[in-house]
Amino acid sequence: MSEKNRKPELLIPASNLEVLKTAVIFGADAVYIGGEAFGLRAKAKNFSKEDMQEGIRFAHENGVKVYVTANILAHNRDLEGARAYFGELREIGPDALIISDPGMFSIARQVWPEAEIHISTQANNTNYMTYRFWWEQGAKRVVSARELSLEEIREIRENIPEKMEIESFVHGAMCISYSGRCLLSNYFTGRDANQGECTHPCRWKYAVMEESRPGEYLPVYENERGTFIFNSRDLCMIEHIPELMEAGIDSFKIEGRMKTALYVATVARTYRKAIDDYLRSEEEYRNNLPWYRDEIAKCTYRQFTTGFYFGKPSEQAQIYDNNTYVSEYIYLGIVGAVREDGLARIEQRNKFCTGDEIEIMKPDGRNIPVKVERILDEEGNEVESAPHPRQVLFLQLSAAPEQYDILRVKND
């Protein structure tokens, strides 16, 4: 099979049931989620057993797979709980487990022998012998280390079984530590990143102080090798779909299991269109590059980089002067249902008012400007504005939305 014909999976993160449904509707082929234990995003809301069951049911009804993360680097105290957890997951029935720790891998194989297992990027997967090792243990897929170039991934593809799958991150935040194995959070706050409790100290502001000059903070001057400040730009490969496919990557993974539904919808929809356009025609893909660039910039992001894919990043891959995000649009809510009288139910996320010009973001790529004509609260009372987060409201818009549409407004 030529790499051009190797249709890649679009793998989208979800922090909760609402975001999972958004990912499914806006173009995911698969969604990865965390349960209430053993994942690397403990601060994410994550999924209860009931929500996981509902999410898997909804995804499967729409032809989408669900993978569950259990990718902590386990300590002795974690092992018995992991055994019980994998037993519970076996009953729930996700499509795969994402694991990094060999001990956790062994327990999963004992408890659920037929489970499909994917090896997390946390396992430092940087060469084809590592891929072969995990294949021989029974893993179906390995997630490439962020530090690999496309040339290295291409070489891995040439030296592993054809049925073995390569998954690689193509978009989202970049951890400054090797394959995400960071000790800064543990050192500064006692919260271990490798146990899912990262506080992102790489985004904090730092200064240099010389030992004999306490309290005197020195400016950081840049030399030809950069200043090594920790705050990385965000990865974005939307302009390089052909190169990703030619390298033989089976799954394009989006980072962001703590992101909003607006972020997930924006990234999923943009990469979905880019992949599908390229599979139809490279010319169509090239012609639509301006649309991809415009759309991907509408979600919250730090400045973009291509990471390690085209060689070792220069100092330009770091952000030296701030740790803030660019945010062009504000998330207002998801349309939950549309009543017979045309009023759309939403659980409001940010303030807006009657008379505001907002936008309906649709899964098919359309962005429809509309006016908010009426706002009703749950009791049916007319209100002029929606100031309270998560307030349930019913909206009359100048054009009718549909269930699962996203409502957003430009951040002026």
Side-chain angles (χ1 to χ4, degrees):
M1 180 187 294
S2 72
E3 302 312 342
K4 173 67 184 287
N5 295 325
R6 200 180 188 103
K7 183 178 180 180
E9 170 188 87
L10 179 58
L11 177 56
I12 303 295
S15 59
N16 57 47
L17 185 57
E18 179 183 70
V19 177
L20 180 149
K21 291 181 176 181
T22 300
V24 169
I25 296 298
F26 278 78
D29 295 308
V31 180
Y32 66 102
I33 66 176
E36 293 177 321
F38 305 114
L40 282 180
R41 285 293 181 269
K43 289 200 297 181
K45 297 180 183 68
N46 292 320
F47 283 71
S48 66
K49 180 178 179 179
E50 293 72 27
D51 280 354
M52 195 179 288
Q53 289 171 322
E54 167 64 12
I56 291 171
R57 182 198 63 76
F58 183 85
H60 287 177
E61 285 177 353
N62 287 276
V64 173
K65 295 181 178 180
V66 178
Y67 309 144
V68 175
T69 61
N71 56 341
I72 65 165
L73 302 181
H75 290 250
N76 293 333
R77 63 180 179 270
D78 299 314
L79 299 182
E80 285 309 307
R83 192 174 298 277
Y85 183 57
F86 289 134
E88 187 173 279
L89 289 178
R90 182 177 183 175
E91 295 177 9
I92 295 172
D95 297 279
L97 305 174
I98 303 173
I99 293 174
S100 60
D101 184 275
M104 295 283 280
F105 182 93
S106 297
I107 293 171
R109 295 286 287 168
Q110 291 167 12
V111 174
W112 188 5
E114 65 275 22
E116 181 173 310
I117 298 181
H118 301 170
I119 304 303
S120 169
T121 190
Q122 295 289 122
N124 303 87
N125 308 304
T126 57
N127 63 78
Y128 59 77
M129 289 302 293
T130 296
Y131 276 67
R132 288 182 188 175
F133 169 82
W134 284 114
W135 176 259
E136 290 164 2
Q137 304 312 305
K140 172 76 177 296
R141 176 186 297 187
V142 172
V143 186
S144 62
R146 294 174 303 106
E147 296 79 20
L148 293 183
S149 67
L150 287 174
E151 183 179 347
E152 289 176 293
I153 293 173
R154 190 178 298 110
E155 186 175 0
I156 289 172
R157 177 76 272 163
E158 292 169 352
N159 287 278
I160 62 174
E162 185 178 343
K163 291 184 178 180
M164 188 178 192
E165 296 174 353
I166 298 173
E167 178 180 304
S168 299
F169 282 98
V170 301
H171 193 94
M174 297 273 283
C175 178
I176 57 94
S177 189
Y178 194 84
S179 290
R181 293 186 165 200
C182 186
L183 299 177
L184 285 177
S185 182
N186 201 343
Y187 182 81
F188 285 124
T189 69
R191 299 179 64 175
D192 190 347
N194 298 313
Q195 290 280 300
E197 298 180 327
C198 184
T199 54
H200 301 104
C202 57
R203 312 301 184 195
W204 300 350
K205 185 175 180 180
Y206 292 87
V208 174
M209 187 178 69
E210 200 274 324
E211 182 180 19
S212 64
R213 296 175 175 83
E216 184 178 335
Y217 297 99
L218 308 176
V220 179
Y221 292 106
E222 182 174 338
N223 63 21
E224 68 277 4
R225 298 184 65 196
T227 60
F228 301 96
I229 302 303
F230 303 136
N231 193 12
S232 173
R233 296 187 180 200
D234 280 1
L235 178 65
C236 178
M237 291 292 286
I238 195 66
E239 298 181 32
H240 301 285
I241 299 299
E243 295 95 322
L244 292 168
M245 292 186 64
E246 287 160 11
I249 297 170
D250 297 279
S251 180
F252 293 179
K253 187 172 192 173
I254 308 300
E255 183 278 336
R257 221 158 31 85
M258 295 174 69
K259 299 291 190 180
T260 66
L262 175 58
Y263 176 95
V264 164
T266 303
V267 177
R269 187 178 72 164
T270 308
Y271 275 88
R272 174 79 279 143
K273 180 168 173 56
I275 292 167
D276 292 348
D277 288 351
Y278 180 69
L279 288 170
R280 280 190 296 271
S281 154
E282 184 165 350
E283 182 182 7
E284 184 176 353
Y285 169 78
R286 299 290 178 195
N287 289 339
N288 286 329
L289 277 170
W291 187 87
Y292 312 144
R293 294 189 195 106
D294 288 346
E295 287 302 309
I296 211 70
K298 291 178 181 178
C299 65
T300 303
Y301 67 97
R302 297 182 182 91
Q303 300 157 43
F304 288 136
T305 176
T306 55
F308 292 78
Y309 280 124
F310 298 100
K312 185 177 178 181
S314 72
E315 65 272 12
Q316 299 303 314
Q318 298 297 107
I319 302 173
Y320 302 107
D321 57 355
N322 67 78
N323 68 345
T324 58
Y325 285 96
V326 178
S327 183
E328 291 194 8
Y329 277 77
I330 297 171
Y331 174 40
L332 301 182
I334 299 174
V335 176
V338 180
R339 301 192 323 199
E340 290 185 5
D341 60 6
L343 292 176
R345 182 189 188 280
I346 73 162
E347 190 179 85
Q348 171 263 352
R349 292 301 196 274
N350 285 287
K351 182 179 179 180
F352 60 96
C353 302
T354 301
D356 282 357
E357 300 287 342
I358 66 172
E359 190 172 88
I360 299 173
M361 179 184 172
K362 301 189 79 66
D364 63 10
R366 290 178 294 154
N367 301 316
I368 302 175
V370 293
K371 184 176 182 179
V372 180
E373 297 182 342
R374 295 174 69 203
I375 305 175
L376 277 65
D377 63 19
E378 283 188 280
E379 286 72 44
N381 302 310
E382 296 255 3
V383 293
E384 289 299 312
S385 66
H388 305 301
R390 297 193 175 275
Q391 183 177 2
V392 174
L393 300 167
F394 295 87
L395 311 181
Q396 181 177 322
L397 306 176
S398 57
E402 297 175 289
Q403 188 175 22
Y404 302 118
D405 285 350
I406 298 281
L407 303 183
R408 65 184 183 183
V409 65
K410 192 165 179 60
N411 186 7
D412 296 323

